[in-house]
Amino acid sequence: MEDALALLSKLTLSETEHQKEKIVSQLIKLVCELNEDDDESENDAVQEKIFHHDATDFVLRTLQSQESEELRSLQISCAQLIAELAKVESLREPLVNKGFMPPLTQLLSSKNISLATQVCRALGNICYDNDLGRMAVDKENGMQSIIGVLSHQMNNKEEGSARLRVIVCGFLLNLTNDCEPLQERAIECNILKPLNECITGHMEDEDLTNMALLTVGSLTELDSGKQFAVECGLLDTFLKLLERDWKEHPVDVILDLIASLMESESAKDRAAENGLCQTLAEIVNSDLKNAAEIKAVSDIFISVLTGDTSMEKIYASGEGPLFLQSMDWLSAEKEHVQTLGALAIGNFARRDAFCIQLVEKGVVDKLLTILKGTVGQQDSFMLQHAVLSSLRNLAISATNKPHLLSAGVLEACLSLIHTEHMAVVFKLLGVLRMLIEGQEAAAVKLGQERAFLESLTDWCGQAHAGVKALSSPGEAAVALKEADLADTVSSLLKDPNLPPEMLCNVLSLLKAVLSAENLCDEIATSGVSDVVRSLSESHVDKNVKDLAGSTLSLLDQTISPS
């Protein structure tokens, strides 16, 4: 503390610019040492004392002075001192309130690399997690100044220019991170274009590339940022970085950015054209061991396929190289590759025409081979979930249903009824529902599977809302009775937490089985009528009320004494 006070006193008494600069340099050294010390509370107190000393007014006046050859060296030192002081969180807002932001922002456009560097450091540190500082920069039209610095230094090869480019990107990150108004301002000012130019023009500079990527990540949190990123070519730039780095360096940041952009339909379309998916497929086929990167690559590939236009481009009438690759993945040895293949096929199967072609190409046999190989393997639930998702989509087409039934899809699904994973059960029931739709013989066969019906009753008591909702054919009356279906339906209808759509499904199930004479007594004594009447009179959802009303009428007709 004494050393600091002594230096501050000297600074106020010094007469020449050279003496003042020398003392400011000593203060900088002292503050840097304090910032590196472990005792933060004591060191922060010393720096707060420095800030509140009259000498700070001299620092402010120096920065407010017009840039000149005579003052430049002193201004550089003063800006550096502020940059070091701003590392203390408690000083950031006071620095704004004291008036440092206008002169610092004014000096940002200096052509002197050293001065611009220290000014950028000062502004960036003040803006770190400090909205007051960010708004002050915006008030001084700071975003345009940042663009000016980036543009001026883009191809500069002078000493210090490379470091300045990194610091400008870091300042921009601190200015916009988690701050939507400034993110929007940066996007409006088209800052993504020079950032892209920074990356493409200096790919050999890892520090600059990493900092620019982090900054892009901040700006692409907004939908408008994602759109502009694609328009200015950043997705193509990410591809170049991925192609260059994935074999030798971690690429998690690049993959995260690509995944973020895939929320945009235009990004999916571009990814289907620019070679990104081919590179992703190459990574999938490699011996990559990083589980997180494998998952990220797979997620991006599937994201592209969720777009209608991009999926159609990759499918290419059933002849696209990446579609054929997806088919080959179904026969891969690695489970995560099979999972990716199944998920991809499920997305190609979103179109009726493609569904029929896929079945004709023999995809069902491939999926069944995988499914049969996972029976009893609880740790293969992700693969089971993916395969069942594909089979469900394939089963939607009326043309495909007989083919899937004859191939043994119903039996393969029933072999999984003892799974412990409710997400798999949900998909399993989805496949069965699609398979028996309009297929009376299959519906009756399913309804006579006692083991399945017992499992169905158990599943209805589970927390998974999607599983609670599903129906079974009325022809299987005896098995349904043995499975205590009436009690289960009554319990579900009384559940106050059951969503309206689930209630509608349960009511539809009830209507479907009322034609079974063997269930009439069970239903009459279960108290279902009273519950349905209550729903028809007082439920807030109109669909539930209407369906409950029609179900009640059918109940009255069915169980009333003749």
Side-chain angles (χ1 to χ4, degrees):
M1 180 72 80
E2 289 77 12
D3 292 343
L5 292 174
L7 287 171
L8 290 166
S9 297
K10 285 183 179 180
L11 183 59
T12 56
L13 297 173
S14 298
E15 295 182 356
T16 67
E17 303 299 334
H18 178 70
Q19 289 176 327
K20 292 173 181 176
E21 182 190 342
K22 184 177 180 180
I23 296 170
V24 172
S25 297
Q26 290 175 310
L27 277 170
I28 292 170
K29 182 179 179 182
L30 175 62
V31 173
C32 288
E33 290 173 354
L34 291 172
N35 284 333
E36 293 173 1
D37 200 293
D38 292 334
D39 191 351
E40 290 186 11
S41 58
E42 181 178 342
N43 296 332
D44 287 358
V46 174
Q47 297 191 62
E48 287 176 5
K49 193 72 174 179
I50 293 173
F51 172 76
H52 290 293
H53 194 277
D54 291 344
T56 307
D57 293 330
F58 161 75
V59 174
L60 177 59
R61 288 194 302 273
T62 301
L63 294 172
Q64 288 172 330
S65 302
Q66 187 172 358
E67 182 184 356
S68 63
E69 290 288 342
E70 296 77 17
L71 274 180
R72 183 171 294 138
S73 184
L74 180 58
Q75 286 179 322
I76 292 171
S77 295
C78 287
Q80 185 177 358
L81 177 61
I82 298 303
E84 302 305 330
L85 288 174
K87 290 181 179 179
V88 177
E89 182 179 1
S90 61
L91 289 181
R92 291 172 194 150
E93 288 194 359
L95 283 165
V96 177
N97 292 328
K98 196 170 182 65
F100 276 95
M101 304 307 277
L104 286 170
T105 307
Q106 185 75 22
L107 290 170
L108 191 58
S109 58
S110 172
K111 299 300 185 288
N112 182 274
I113 290 178
S114 296
L115 181 56
T117 297
Q118 295 306 327
V119 167
C120 269
R121 289 188 64 237
L123 287 168
N125 289 347
I126 292 172
C127 289
Y128 181 76
D129 200 21
N130 176 17
D131 285 344
L132 185 67
R134 292 164 173 167
M135 294 305 119
V137 170
D138 188 42
K139 184 179 178 181
E140 299 298 322
N141 201 26
M143 201 66 69
Q144 291 295 344
S145 298
I146 294 172
I147 293 174
V149 177
L150 273 179
S151 300
H152 182 72
Q153 301 296 336
M154 189 70 68
N155 300 309
N156 194 348
K157 296 182 180 179
E158 291 181 53
E159 184 179 353
S161 60
R163 181 180 179 229
L164 176 54
R165 286 190 287 266
V166 176
I167 290 173
V168 173
C169 290
F171 169 29
L172 184 58
L173 175 62
N174 285 358
L175 185 64
T176 62
N177 195 37
D178 292 327
C179 183
E180 188 168 329
L182 269 297
Q183 290 171 339
E184 290 176 345
R185 174 80 73 232
I187 293 165
E188 288 170 1
C189 292
N190 202 22
I191 194 72
L192 286 169
K193 186 174 183 292
L195 281 173
N196 187 35
E197 292 172 359
C198 266
I199 299 171
T200 55
H202 302 279
M203 281 192 173
E204 76 289 347
D205 188 337
E206 290 192 12
D207 289 339
L208 176 60
T209 298
N210 292 336
M211 187 61 73
L213 289 176
L214 290 173
T215 307
V216 169
S218 168
L219 299 176
T220 52
E221 289 176 359
L222 302 184
D223 290 341
S224 56
K226 294 178 177 63
Q227 186 65 35
F228 273 95
V230 177
E231 291 176 2
C232 76
L234 270 164
L235 185 60
D236 297 336
T237 300
F238 296 160
L239 172 58
K240 291 177 184 176
L241 291 170
L242 187 62
E243 289 174 332
R244 185 193 69 172
D245 291 346
W246 75 263
K247 293 180 181 178
E248 299 178 5
H249 304 291
V251 289
D252 51 328
V253 173
I254 300 170
L255 291 173
D256 285 346
L257 286 168
I258 294 174
S260 175
L261 292 190
M262 286 307 119
E263 296 174 23
S264 160
E265 290 300 313
S266 60
K268 295 174 186 177
D269 293 345
R270 182 60 188 154
E273 298 171 343
N274 73 348
L276 173 62
C277 291
Q278 285 84 348
T279 298
L280 296 174
E282 183 181 349
I283 297 174
V284 170
N285 291 331
S286 72
D287 293 325
L288 189 66
K289 299 294 192 299
N290 188 315
E293 289 187 1
I294 290 171
K295 184 179 185 309
V297 167
S298 300
D299 288 347
I300 294 169
F301 189 87
I302 296 303
S303 291
V304 176
L305 293 182
T306 60
D308 291 336
T309 304
S310 52
M311 181 270 285
E312 187 172 350
K313 288 178 181 178
I314 292 175
Y315 187 70
S317 301
E319 300 299 328
L322 288 170
F323 161 69
L324 297 175
Q325 175 69 86
S326 300
M327 291 283 282
D328 289 342
W329 282 336
L330 295 177
S331 304
E333 294 181 2
K334 298 175 182 177
E335 191 167 293
H336 73 268
V337 179
Q338 289 182 320
T339 301
L340 176 58
L343 290 171
I345 295 301
N347 277 281
F348 289 124
R350 297 201 320 272
R351 293 256 182 102
D352 275 354
F354 297 176
C355 267
I356 296 169
Q357 290 176 5
L358 285 166
V359 171
E360 291 172 350
K361 288 176 180 292
V363 74
V364 176
D365 290 338
K366 290 177 177 285
L367 292 171
L368 288 180
T369 298
I370 296 174
L371 203 59
K372 291 172 182 176
T374 66
V375 175
Q377 298 181 14
Q378 296 295 335
D379 57 347
S380 295
F381 71 94
M382 291 183 68
L383 178 56
Q384 292 171 345
H385 189 275
V387 171
L388 290 170
S389 296
S390 291
L391 288 172
R392 177 198 174 278
N393 286 358
L394 291 169
I396 292 174
S397 168
T399 304
N400 283 351
K401 296 181 195 295
H403 295 290
L404 268 65
L405 287 168
S406 63
V409 173
L410 178 62
E411 293 75 13
C413 288
L414 291 176
S415 69
L416 296 177
I417 62 174
H418 299 297
T419 180
E420 298 175 359
H421 299 280
M422 296 310 295
V424 173
V425 172
F426 179 54
K427 289 297 181 182
L428 177 67
L429 292 174
V431 178
L432 294 175
R433 183 167 67 86
M434 288 294 104
L435 276 177
I436 64 174
E437 185 181 67
Q439 305 295 312
E440 183 176 352
V444 171
K445 180 180 179 180
L446 180 60
Q448 292 173 342
E449 291 284 344
R450 181 171 179 178
F452 166 70
L453 293 172
E454 289 176 348
S455 295
L456 180 62
T457 302
D458 291 338
W459 293 333
C460 285
Q462 299 293 329
H464 198 294
V467 173
K468 282 184 176 183
L470 291 159
S471 55
S472 103
E475 288 88 344
V478 175
L480 290 172
K481 181 177 180 180
E482 292 175 352
D484 297 324
L485 182 70
D487 288 342
T488 300
V489 168
S490 179
S491 175
L492 287 172
L493 293 177
K494 292 176 182 177
D495 186 350
N497 297 316
L498 204 64
E501 59 272 19
M502 301 297 105
L503 282 172
C504 287
N505 282 341
V506 176
L507 288 167
S508 296
L509 169 62
L510 180 58
K511 291 180 72 174
V513 300
L514 281 174
S515 60
E517 293 182 3
N518 290 340
L519 281 174
C520 287
D521 291 341
E522 292 288 317
I523 294 171
T525 59
S526 67
V528 167
S529 294
D530 292 337
V531 181
V532 174
R533 179 172 285 104
S534 176
L535 292 173
S536 70
E537 294 173 350
S538 60
H539 200 277
V540 294
D541 186 271
K542 184 179 184 299
N543 291 332
V544 173
K545 289 184 70 173
D546 292 347
L547 187 53
S550 62
T551 305
L552 183 63
S553 298
L554 187 58
L555 273 168
D556 290 341
Q557 295 172 19
T558 304
I559 64 178
S560 295
S562 55

